[in-house]
Amino acid sequence: MLYFSRWKTYSIWAVVLLGVIFTIPNMLTQSQLDSLPGWFPKRALTLGLDLQGGSHILLSIDRQDLIDERLQATRDDIRTLLRDAKIGYTGLTGTGTTIQVRITDPNEVEAAKKALAALVSPISSSMFGAGSVSELALEEPETGLLRYTLTDAGIDYRVNNAVTQSIEVIGRRVNELGTTEPIIQRAGADRILVQVPGLQDPTRLKEILGKTAKLTFQMVDQSMSPQEALQGRPPAGSTVMYSQDDPPVPYLIENRVIVSGENLTDAQATFDQRTSEAVVSFRFDGKGASRFGQATQQNVGRLFAIILDNQVISAPRINEPILGGSGQISGSFTAESANDLAVLLRAGALPADLTIVEERTVGPSLGADSISAGKFASMIAGILVVGFMLVAYGTLGIIANIALAANVALIIAILSILGATLTMPGIAGIVLTVGMAVDSNVIIYERVREERQLGRSLVQSLDSGFSRALATIVDANFTTFIAALILFYLGSGPVRGFAVTLAIGIVTTVFTAFTLTRWLVSIWLRRAKPKELPKGLVRFVPDNTSYSFMALRRYAFTLSAAASVAAMTLFFTVEMNYGIDFKGGTSLEVQAKNGQASSSEVRARLSELNIGDVQVQEFGSASTLLIRVEGQKAGDNAEQSVVEKVRGELANDYDFRRVESVGPTVSSELAWYGTLGVVTAMLAMLIYIWFRFEWQFGLGAILATIHDVTMMIGLYVITGIEFNLTSIAAILTIVGYSINDTVVVYDRVRENLRKYKKMPIEQLLDLSMNQTLSRTVLTGLTTLLALISLYLFGGEVIRSFTLAMIFGIVVGTYSSIFVAGPLLILFRLRPAGVDADDKDKGKPAVPAGAQPTKS
């Protein structure tokens, strides 16, 4: 195990060197990167929106809007086709997803079906591979009554097309804003994710995205005044629409569209040379120019309306025919609003309305603060962990720290190569990995000490220690890896970034422990030729401990059962402080522009906005406030109205550092996926441990983990810490850590079961707990050191996240000894070992009354 061929040595250091090379760009400025040679990698980590500022917006296609539009088109098609075929009909109506028409002459029913055959003809669809889909299905419930129903496949086809077109339109709109590297992609069947890093004005982005931008030119109906139409009934073929003015002005508009935005070839913001007002100049294509010219020729002296999304922008008089195919739109624009309208018109109209169902916006100042806090916390965590390893292991601690530095470099290098996004929870993942990475070294070093105490030579002890620790480390880390995978697949945004970092950290940890650390130890043996294992300055756990843990199992069971029942009782009787991720609503972090923020004043101002329950509290400093507004229970659009109202009220006095708004649709999904993630992780771990050990071990590990999850839920209920998406990440991480800890103990139990066939199970468990006690304590301490530094210096945003993790580490360590171990006694693990002993005599045994000692 300690011999390395030349090619293995070169391979190990080549990997480490590549890790360092790909990490370097993250430590250089852009000018320094530009000065590097062309072959040198220049790709640095992409910072998440929470670190560099920007907006994350999740948009949803209005499915009902598409259905209504398709029904209206179908109704018009039926009317036109039957009239062209000169077939009489009556009762052309539509409800839900159905249109029906009655053919007046029974002898013309077949002719009507033939005339309308195009409605049910299949159309090719990329959604169905090389197949096709029928949008409408025909039924004839009675003779002469034709009923056309939109099919589910047809609706899905329309939604899929609308999403594809919307992505193209949104891409053109966002690119017109001049932002760098926006992310615009499909998110599920009917949603679109838009992420724009470094955006200074999220309100403008939402305005750009929220407008359908359906532009039409229609004639104004002047046969009666709008007021008469409102009091009575508008003439057939006309509708009352309102202007964008405040207060809005009504217009009576003919439904017939002269020209639509589809006929525009260009639109630019400019200024009227006569009035110096901001206007939008436009130009039609050939077809649009012909239609517009003909309409203006026939209607000189009349008013025509320019309508955007059913609102009248302006209604000028046609003084003379407009034959050039170009014109301008005026309407009390500012330079920015004129430019925004030009952007919308150039990008084209959206095929359907889009609703903002989730918004997460971080201001650039908060992003800079998060980066600073993350760097400082990581540096403190690194110093504490490095110092701890030196104190605990001396020279071997130096080797562990070199491997740890290489480990961090490899994590950052892989994240850079993959183009992964580093978020604040991602930094927490790196810091947590720093704490957990030493676990593999601790397992190895403690195993080496045990082998040395058995009387083996130093070389044999090191070789055997690495060999025996391999299975334990792989099993323990793989269970945590399962939690990271599930976090990635079921999580979103920063939670997914945390999962990626954690998963990569687990892989690099196993690599460095069994390659780099082992190589460094072999070099140390050859060069220093030591006679004995180096000792640290402090031995945190004495050698050959013989604590009777199982003697306390009844007390521990009673305590754990009482605490679990209390936690569940509180969970069902006291409502947790659910964040907006799970119950919808709006959360805003604001900072006073001048001096100290006043929570009472802000609360009083917002209470007058009629937006429901408002909570305001100081957040981190006297100048910063956290505002929470309850979910509006009036659909996803209502949450965006709350954001705009709060912005309008506080914008003059406060800077908005962070805005999070989650509609009821997304919040219910996040709650479901969060619960599913925890349950799935436990089931996956149960299957793995059952496969690797026996059913008693698998069930014991899961019950111990359920105990830990219950305790964490109790923490959230008692302390009132907000329970949100990062809380699910914390729980899943503790699930992984707790299982990791339990697997290390169980691995030693399994080994001792084979070695001591007749030792009573209580004594065997005590022996196993004492043999792994040093590793349990040292790993727990190093992880806690890393998390405590993150809690103290990582900033307010992730403080509750790290507090839950700290509590989870303590509870997980306790359960590995006092819950997971005693459960094996409850499940009668020992009889299986005794039965096996009948078939295998001559194995070493320890007398029943012997004290457990390290073997």
Side-chain angles (χ1 to χ4, degrees):
M1 286 289 287
L2 293 177
Y3 170 74
F4 286 84
S5 62
R6 185 168 296 178
W7 74 267
K8 283 185 179 180
T9 299
Y10 291 156
S11 299
I12 292 169
W13 283 103
V15 171
V16 174
L17 180 61
L18 285 173
V20 172
I21 290 174
F22 279 95
T23 300
I24 288 175
N26 294 281
M27 298 182 286
L28 302 178
T29 63
Q30 187 58 49
S31 60
Q32 290 172 326
L33 283 174
D34 294 337
S35 64
L36 291 173
W39 56 266
F40 202 92
K42 297 181 175 62
R43 189 172 191 174
L45 277 171
T46 302
L47 297 181
L49 299 182
D50 55 348
L51 294 177
Q52 65 170 319
S55 285
H56 161 111
I57 294 177
L58 186 62
L59 301 161
S60 177
I61 289 281
D62 191 330
R63 197 179 185 92
Q64 190 58 48
D65 182 45
L66 288 174
I67 292 173
D68 294 342
E69 189 176 278
R70 186 61 189 142
L71 285 177
Q72 180 61 47
T74 301
R75 189 184 295 112
D76 294 341
D77 288 342
I78 290 174
R79 183 183 296 113
T80 302
L81 291 170
L82 292 179
R83 283 180 179 175
D84 290 346
K86 296 181 171 52
I87 297 174
Y89 66 91
T90 186
L92 179 57
T93 58
T95 57
T97 58
T98 300
I99 296 283
Q100 66 180 28
V101 62
R102 184 177 296 278
I103 307 303
T104 53
D105 185 352
N107 297 323
E108 293 184 329
V109 172
E110 291 305 318
K113 290 181 181 179
K114 185 176 180 180
L116 301 175
L119 297 178
V120 294
S121 298
I123 54 177
S124 60
S125 170
S126 59
M127 284 179 61
F128 302 92
S132 58
V133 57
S134 295
E135 287 195 81
L136 293 165
L138 171 61
E139 295 177 318
E140 190 176 355
E142 58 184 83
T143 304
L145 181 64
L146 305 181
R147 181 173 295 163
Y148 293 87
T149 303
L150 285 174
T151 64
D152 290 339
I155 295 172
D156 291 340
Y157 165 76
R158 286 285 168 180
V159 170
N160 179 69
N161 279 356
V163 170
T164 302
Q165 294 173 31
S166 297
I167 289 174
E168 295 177 0
V169 172
I170 290 171
R172 290 195 292 267
R173 292 184 183 182
V174 174
N175 289 332
E176 290 273 7
L177 294 177
T179 56
T180 57
E181 298 183 358
I183 297 172
I184 303 163
Q185 61 189 27
R186 183 187 296 266
D190 59 356
R191 292 182 184 167
I192 301 167
L193 173 65
V194 180
Q195 289 186 335
V196 185
L199 187 67
Q200 300 293 324
D201 188 0
T203 304
R204 187 181 177 204
L205 173 66
K206 288 195 294 183
E207 289 177 353
I208 289 289
L209 297 179
K211 290 184 178 178
T212 308
K214 289 185 177 179
L215 181 74
T216 58
F217 294 79
Q218 298 168 231
M219 297 304 301
V220 175
D221 187 342
Q222 296 175 271
S223 62
M224 69 167 62
S225 69
Q227 288 73 20
E228 290 175 323
L230 289 170
Q231 293 170 0
R233 186 174 181 179
S238 296
T239 303
V240 175
M241 295 184 182
Y242 290 88
S243 70
Q244 296 179 324
D245 302 310
D246 187 17
V249 177
Y251 289 89
L252 187 59
I253 307 296
E254 292 182 4
N255 293 341
R256 182 175 62 91
V257 175
I258 301 171
V259 191
S260 70
E262 296 176 357
N263 300 115
L264 285 178
T265 59
D266 190 26
Q268 297 291 336
T270 184
F271 291 93
D272 190 311
Q273 295 182 350
R274 295 169 297 176
T275 63
S276 298
E277 292 181 346
V279 296
V280 177
S281 61
F282 61 86
R283 187 169 66 253
F284 289 121
D285 59 16
K287 183 179 179 181
S290 175
R291 281 187 177 182
F292 194 63
Q294 185 179 10
T296 54
Q297 273 183 323
Q298 295 172 353
N299 294 281
V300 173
R302 291 186 59 190
L303 301 178
F304 80 95
I306 302 171
I307 300 168
L308 181 71
D309 292 342
N310 295 321
Q311 285 189 306
V312 178
I313 296 178
S314 62
R317 183 179 302 278
I318 303 174
N319 295 320
E320 58 185 15
I322 304 173
L323 305 177
S326 61
Q328 67 181 30
I329 304 171
S330 59
S332 303
F333 294 122
T334 63
E336 184 175 86
S337 63
N339 185 65
D340 287 348
L341 177 57
V343 166
L344 292 172
L345 298 181
R346 285 198 303 272
L350 291 168
D353 290 337
L354 294 176
T355 302
I356 297 176
V357 294
E358 181 184 6
E359 177 196 356
R360 301 182 190 273
T361 298
V362 176
S365 62
L366 179 59
D369 291 347
S370 296
I371 292 175
S372 177
K375 286 181 177 178
F376 187 70
S378 301
M379 182 178 65
I380 296 297
I383 292 173
L384 290 176
V385 171
V386 166
F388 182 82
M389 291 300 290
L390 288 174
V391 169
Y393 289 107
T395 302
L396 290 179
I398 295 174
I399 292 174
N401 288 332
I402 294 173
L404 180 62
N407 191 5
V408 173
L410 287 173
I411 293 172
I412 296 174
I414 293 172
L415 289 172
S416 301
I417 293 170
L418 294 178
T421 300
L422 182 65
T423 61
M424 195 62 196
I427 292 178
I430 293 176
V431 173
L432 179 63
T433 302
V434 167
M436 293 180 66
V438 299
D439 177 51
S440 298
N441 293 103
V442 170
I443 291 174
I444 294 167
Y445 292 166
E446 292 303 308
R447 195 68 197 231
V448 169
R449 278 178 172 167
E450 291 179 31
E451 297 297 322
R452 185 65 176 142
Q453 288 175 12
L454 287 172
R456 293 186 175 91
S457 69
L458 181 58
V459 174
Q460 288 176 330
S461 299
L462 286 164
D463 191 71
S464 180
F466 274 98
S467 180
R468 289 177 177 271
L470 176 60
T472 303
I473 292 173
V474 170
D475 282 337
N477 281 281
F478 190 77
T479 52
T480 309
F481 190 74
I482 290 173
L485 285 180
I486 291 171
L487 261 180
F488 177 79
Y489 282 108
L490 296 181
S492 61
V495 173
R496 179 169 285 190
F498 173 78
V500 170
T501 305
L502 185 61
I504 292 173
I506 291 168
V507 175
T508 56
T509 293
V510 174
F511 168 78
T512 53
F514 282 97
T515 57
L516 184 59
T517 300
R518 197 154 50 90
W519 186 89
L520 290 170
V521 168
S522 69
I523 292 298
W524 168 69
L525 278 174
R526 282 202 295 269
R527 299 285 175 84
K529 293 181 173 55
K531 301 298 182 183
E532 191 53 73
L533 279 173
K535 294 182 179 180
L537 298 177
V538 177
R539 185 71 176 136
F540 291 93
V541 177
D543 292 331
N544 300 319
T545 58
S546 56
Y547 301 118
S548 298
F549 294 108
M550 294 305 103
L552 303 173
R553 69 180 185 276
R554 290 181 176 83
Y555 301 106
F557 265 166
T558 302
L559 175 63
S560 296
S564 298
V565 170
M568 285 296 95
T569 302
L570 287 171
F571 175 72
F572 287 110
T573 57
V574 179
E575 185 177 5
M576 290 177 67
N577 181 19
Y578 290 106
I580 63 170
D581 293 328
F582 297 136
K583 67 177 183 179
T586 301
S587 175
L588 308 98
E589 183 182 337
V590 299
Q591 187 174 51
K593 292 182 177 179
N594 298 305
Q596 187 171 334
S598 172
S599 58
S600 58
E601 180 209 0
V602 169
R603 191 180 300 110
R605 290 169 65 177
L606 297 182
S607 63
E608 298 177 359
L609 299 180
N610 192 28
I611 55 177
D613 182 49
V614 178
Q615 299 176 8
V616 184
Q617 65 186 62
E618 190 175 294
F619 190 70
S621 67
S623 63
T624 305
L625 299 175
L626 181 65
I627 302 169
R628 291 193 185 95
V629 184
E630 67 173 341
Q632 300 301 293
K633 300 181 177 64
D636 296 306
N637 282 322
E639 305 302 335
Q640 289 301 309
S641 299
V642 167
V643 175
E644 297 311 313
K645 286 181 179 180
V646 175
R647 279 188 182 277
E649 179 65 31
L650 302 179
N652 292 333
D653 305 315
Y654 291 87
D655 290 321
F656 285 74
R657 290 163 61 86
R658 178 164 55 97
V659 176
E660 296 182 356
S661 178
V662 179
T665 305
V666 171
S667 63
S668 61
E669 292 175 0
L670 293 177
W672 162 247
Y673 282 118
T675 305
L676 182 64
V678 175
V679 173
T680 305
M682 288 189 178
L683 286 176
M685 292 174 185
L686 171 62
I687 293 170
Y688 178 76
I689 296 172
W690 198 322
F691 174 77
R692 290 287 293 142
F693 294 81
E694 296 176 36
W695 70 266
Q696 292 98 330
F697 291 100
L699 194 56
I702 291 304
L703 288 177
T705 305
I706 290 174
H707 164 271
D708 300 341
V709 172
T710 304
M711 291 298 96
M712 289 193 70
I713 290 175
L715 172 74
Y716 280 103
V717 176
I718 292 171
T719 61
I721 297 173
E722 182 179 302
F723 191 81
N724 49 32
L725 270 183
T726 57
S727 304
I728 294 293
I731 289 176
L732 274 174
T733 305
I734 293 307
V735 165
Y737 180 89
S738 178
I739 288 279
N740 181 307
D741 210 9
T742 301
V743 166
V744 171
V745 174
Y746 276 1
D747 185 75
R748 185 57 62 92
V749 172
R750 178 176 60 177
E751 181 181 329
N752 286 334
L753 279 170
R754 296 168 182 162
K755 186 181 293 186
Y756 306 116
K757 296 286 188 177
K758 292 192 175 184
M759 180 183 286
I761 185 62
E762 293 88 350
Q763 192 174 345
L764 186 139
L765 287 171
D766 276 338
L767 174 63
S768 303
M769 302 295 178
N770 280 281
Q771 287 175 335
T772 56
L773 183 61
S774 182
R775 174 264 165 197
T776 300
V777 171
L778 292 175
T779 297
L781 285 176
T782 52
T783 308
L784 284 174
L785 285 174
L787 287 173
I788 289 171
S789 66
L790 199 65
Y791 175 78
L792 295 175
F793 307 109
E796 194 70 32
V797 175
I798 60 170
R799 184 157 292 164
S800 60
F801 171 70
T802 51
L803 176 62
M805 297 272 282
I806 291 169
F807 177 80
I809 296 296
V810 174
V811 170
T813 303
Y814 161 83
S815 69
S816 297
I817 297 175
F818 291 107
V819 179
L823 281 171
L824 296 180
I825 301 175
L826 187 65
F827 295 151
R828 297 181 62 80
L829 178 66
R830 184 33 136 189
V834 173
D835 292 340
D837 182 53
D838 294 336
K839 302 175 185 178
D840 190 2
K841 303 294 184 182
K843 296 290 183 180
V846 174
Q851 289 293 324
T853 57
K854 287 182 181 282
S855 55

